[in-house]
Amino acid sequence: MSGWRESRYFQLVVSQTRDFAVWPIGRRPPEGWRIVPFAGTIQACGRQVAERTGAVRASDVARSVATDISLVGLLRKAAGEQPDAPALGFGHLRLSYRRLWESVDDVADRLVAAGVGPGRRVAVVGDCAADLIGAVLAVLAAGASCVLCAGSRPEAAVRATRPELVLVPAGPGAPAGWPLVRQRWRGVTGAAWQARGRAGSTVAAPLVEEPEPSLMVPLAEDAVSVVWRGTQLTWLAGDCGLPRSGQGDRLRVPVPTDPLVGAVAVARALLTGAELVLPAVRPAGAGDRRDAAAGLARWSLRIDRNAGSADEVELCGFAETAMVAAVVSEGGALAPLPQHRWHVLDDDFGPVPTGEVGELFLAGPMLTVGYLDRPELTMARFLPDPLGAAEGSRMFRTGCRARRLPGHRFALVEGDDGI
């Protein structure tokens, strides 16, 4: 889309749900979007959005928090329906739903006592997947936003996301600048954990720009973090196109090295009443298959059923689509998951004919909110959807080139020039 890239100035548009985006000047935006009387560079549009959204009414905060509680509520509902069923397998350790949520509630109470609640931002740093799951759930159960810093550069992620507390395993290795221990507890594996704060300070006032609890995961290649809301993850509880799972089934991610893939697997397993089985040891050199330039990840999900059968599916997605968007079929063709829309568009945002190549855009229920504290980047990558099923819908500009195939399937084209 050379014409789009070469343009320097854009008009600002807003949807009925108060999502902001940029759109080419002089071109009518899609249905459900209206033009804001402001135009300029993406950076200038970002500053304008920050000014417009900087003040959030208390009623808006309360309403947003009430909406997101549905994720924790659904997780608790699954646990309440089968408290003695296995929830988490890790090496020789097997935790029931009752035991897992007892641990989560204990940590959540400790975090609340330390001042954590709606509008707060808490980072979780560690290597043990089982303990990370417990810590992340505890932060969300306390109503706060969780920054999952489980990549190769946790200290850089902590600095970039500016949390108010950092949860880390006890002992050496805590991020620099967080010497004050506010709480101590045992994780789900029995390992000692701590909530650390800055010396001489208390937990700051709630962040008005973060009224809704969310999960944030820094991207590996830079300091940018994607933001997921609970409403995205609750989609995984239903008929979302992933293999069916339920009580007595065991869900496995063969190589759960990517924190985002792990978060999706946790949500799918615990929302459906299955047991999530994690490998006790991370294989040397293991990792999901990710295109470093485009950000596309391919990973496998396996369900071992209580009846003895098994299903395994290969999936692909972007961090911006919560790691799920399509199933990889034989020959490498991609078939979108239910309710997901894949657009291959030309320079004028029109669909290319079957067999032709264009730029790939994605839309659907797993589309993330955007990037943490980066309104200009969010507006540049999350655009109004001209082919959206609903007015005001958005699409994600992947930076990949793809070919439309018959039967609503797609194939990525090698050597895409990105954005």
Side-chain angles (χ1 to χ4, degrees):
M1 299 182 62
S2 58
W4 173 265
R5 287 194 201 91
E6 293 171 0
S7 178
R8 181 180 177 187
Y9 298 100
F10 307 91
Q11 59 188 355
L12 188 61
V13 295
V14 63
S15 70
Q16 297 172 351
T17 56
R18 300 289 293 173
D19 289 321
F20 287 89
V22 293
W23 195 248
I25 291 177
R27 190 176 299 173
R28 183 177 179 179
E31 292 295 324
W33 294 82
R34 63 178 177 84
I35 297 174
V36 176
F38 183 87
T41 63
I42 289 180
Q43 292 73 19
C45 289
R47 290 192 294 270
Q48 181 72 6
V49 171
E51 292 177 4
R52 289 172 176 265
T53 61
V56 179
R57 298 190 305 273
S59 60
D60 293 334
V61 174
R63 182 163 54 252
S64 296
V65 171
T67 299
D68 190 75
I69 287 176
S70 61
L71 173 61
V72 175
L74 284 175
L75 290 171
R76 291 188 184 279
K77 180 176 181 293
E81 292 174 347
Q82 48 177 30
D84 297 320
L88 185 63
F90 182 72
H92 298 295
L93 174 69
R94 295 190 78 186
L95 289 180
S96 67
Y97 274 85
R98 185 199 311 275
R99 177 68 186 88
L100 174 62
W101 278 98
E102 285 176 351
S103 176
V104 168
D105 287 337
D106 174 66
V107 179
D109 289 343
R110 295 172 185 272
L111 295 178
V112 170
V116 171
R120 314 288 188 178
R121 189 182 294 179
V122 179
V124 176
V125 180
D127 294 321
C128 176
D131 281 330
L132 286 173
I133 290 170
V136 169
L137 291 177
V139 173
L140 297 178
S145 294
C146 179
V147 183
L148 179 55
C149 303
S152 59
R153 301 170 54 207
E155 289 200 16
V158 169
R159 287 194 302 270
T161 54
R162 300 177 290 111
E164 297 162 301
L165 286 178
V166 179
L167 312 188
V168 293
W178 302 84
L180 185 62
V181 177
R182 298 188 184 276
Q183 289 288 347
R184 302 175 188 268
W185 67 90
R186 292 282 177 182
V188 296
T189 65
W193 274 65
Q194 300 172 341
R196 288 178 171 265
R198 298 188 186 279
S201 66
T202 58
V203 177
L207 299 169
V208 295
E209 70 269 19
E210 262 171 46
E212 184 179 342
S214 55
L215 180 63
M216 311 167 188
V217 183
L219 302 181
E221 61 269 20
D222 50 37
V224 176
S225 298
V226 291
V227 181
W228 295 355
R229 295 287 190 245
T231 48
Q232 295 167 256
L233 296 178
T234 57
W235 178 76
L236 294 167
D239 186 14
C240 59
L242 300 183
R244 180 184 56 82
S245 60
Q247 184 175 356
D249 296 334
R250 309 186 81 186
L251 186 151
R252 304 173 186 270
V253 181
V255 188
T257 55
D258 191 304
L260 283 81
V261 168
V264 171
V266 170
R268 178 62 174 175
L270 300 187
L271 284 168
T272 59
E275 177 186 7
L276 178 66
V277 180
L278 302 170
V281 179
R282 172 176 169 174
D288 67 336
R289 283 172 285 172
R290 180 186 295 274
D291 184 321
L296 180 69
R298 289 172 60 175
W299 55 284
S300 297
L301 183 68
R302 177 183 173 88
I303 302 292
D304 293 325
R305 308 201 181 284
N306 192 31
S309 60
D311 277 331
E312 186 168 355
V313 62
E314 186 173 8
L315 302 162
C316 74
F318 297 79
E320 293 83 355
T321 66
M323 308 306 285
V324 290
V327 173
V328 182
S329 59
E330 292 185 10
L334 306 178
L337 289 173
Q339 305 176 50
H340 282 76
R341 300 184 303 279
W342 284 50
H343 305 323
V344 180
L345 306 181
D346 58 23
D347 289 356
D348 294 320
F349 294 108
V352 303
T354 299
E356 296 298 318
V357 174
E359 187 169 4
L360 178 63
F361 294 78
L362 303 183
M366 293 301 282
L367 202 65
T368 60
V369 175
Y371 303 103
L372 180 63
D373 301 332
R374 297 289 297 273
E376 73 288 347
L377 183 57
T378 298
M379 290 187 301
R381 299 296 293 270
F382 292 83
L383 306 176
D385 184 356
L387 306 176
E391 293 185 356
S393 57
R394 302 184 306 156
M395 62 181 181
F396 167 61
R397 188 181 192 194
T398 68
C400 296
R401 296 187 66 77
R403 185 185 310 277
R404 287 190 61 186
L405 302 177
H408 197 54
R409 296 179 306 135
F410 303 84
L412 297 181
V413 176
E414 294 286 343
D416 61 87
D417 50 7
I419 61 174

